Amino acid sequence: MLFSKKAQAPGITASAALRLGFFICLACLLGAGLLLYAPAGRPVAALDGITVYGNGFPLSSHGRNLTPDGYNIGLKYQCVEFVKRYYLQHYNHRMPDTYGHAFSFFDAAVPDGGLNQRRGLLQYKNGGKTLPQKGDILVFGRAWYNPYGHVAVVAKTEADKVEYIQQNSFSAHASLPVVRRADGARAVRNKRLLGWLRMPAGGKDD
């Protein structure tokens, strides 16, 4: 009589189990985070009378926001839409280039303190000689979880931190620490923060 060994199910290696656990935890965190997003179009905050709206889901958009004469403010209710709406309503500023993802607001070819021609604004790099001030646009680079970058508006600055307001994020309000580097210069501590844009002198006062 012949006997055959039962086939054994392949086991899960320790590394595979760790990867699986990581992705399960990540999915849970993302799912919980999405519950924090305000419904699309709901006012959640304001800066200088300009409203920040909920977006419902990070990747959603709800039509393009255009002025009556066709100026492109952006896709509702993405981060870029709030930033451009704030600059239009608060500073009466229209960007020469009205399109582009958030990360493209920072032009690496522009020298520190030079004019970013696409946006019509002065540009400063993080870690340079100039710290952000109220009204500046913070520009964050891309990440594996966000290929579009992010933009926000500085609401307040203190010696040790920068507070900002944003659209299409878990929270409309956030802050970043200001630290002193080894060379004595001060910088905003965030690896993704490329720099900030500012109204040129002669723009509307706060």
Side-chain angles (χ1 to χ4, degrees), residues 12-173:
I12 298 177
T13 64
S15 60
L18 285 174
R19 286 196 298 269
L20 179 61
F22 169 78
F23 285 113
I24 291 174
C25 290
L26 181 62
C28 291
L29 287 172
L30 289 175
L34 293 177
L35 295 176
L36 300 177
Y37 271 77
R42 174 186 291 178
V44 294
L47 178 65
D48 296 318
I50 291 90
T51 303
V52 173
Y53 296 101
N55 193 36
F57 183 78
L59 299 179
S60 3
S61 62
H62 307 274
R64 191 169 293 280
N65 187 1
L66 300 171
T67 62
D69 61 357
Y71 176 73
N72 172 46
I73 300 175
L75 295 172
K76 305 174 187 177
Y77 296 98
Q78 294 287 329
C79 60
V80 167
E81 190 270 344
F82 168 69
V83 163
K84 290 175 65 183
R85 180 160 45 84
Y86 178 86
Y87 264 65
L88 178 63
Q89 295 180 6
H90 189 63
Y91 294 113
N92 194 30
H93 177 76
R94 295 184 176 218
M95 297 185 180
D97 185 345
T98 66
Y99 289 87
H101 294 307
F103 73 86
S104 71
F105 274 51
F106 188 89
D107 185 347
V110 175
D112 190 36
L115 180 66
N116 183 320
Q117 305 251 0
R118 291 181 62 192
R119 308 303 171 185
L121 300 169
L122 300 178
Q123 177 177 291
Y124 301 91
K125 66 178 181 179
N126 190 16
K129 297 180 180 180
T130 305
L131 287 174
Q133 66 183 29
K134 183 180 180 296
D136 287 357
I137 299 174
L138 300 180
V139 185
F140 297 85
R142 294 181 282 189
W144 66 268
Y145 54 87
N146 177 4
Y148 308 108
H150 187 61
V151 285
V153 178
V154 176
K156 182 182 178 182
T157 59
E158 297 182 5
D160 60 345
K161 68 178 178 179
V162 174
E163 298 179 7
Y164 58 95
I165 191 166
Q166 59 193 344
Q167 195 165 260
N168 194 30
S169 187
F170 294 124
S171 173
H173 299 276

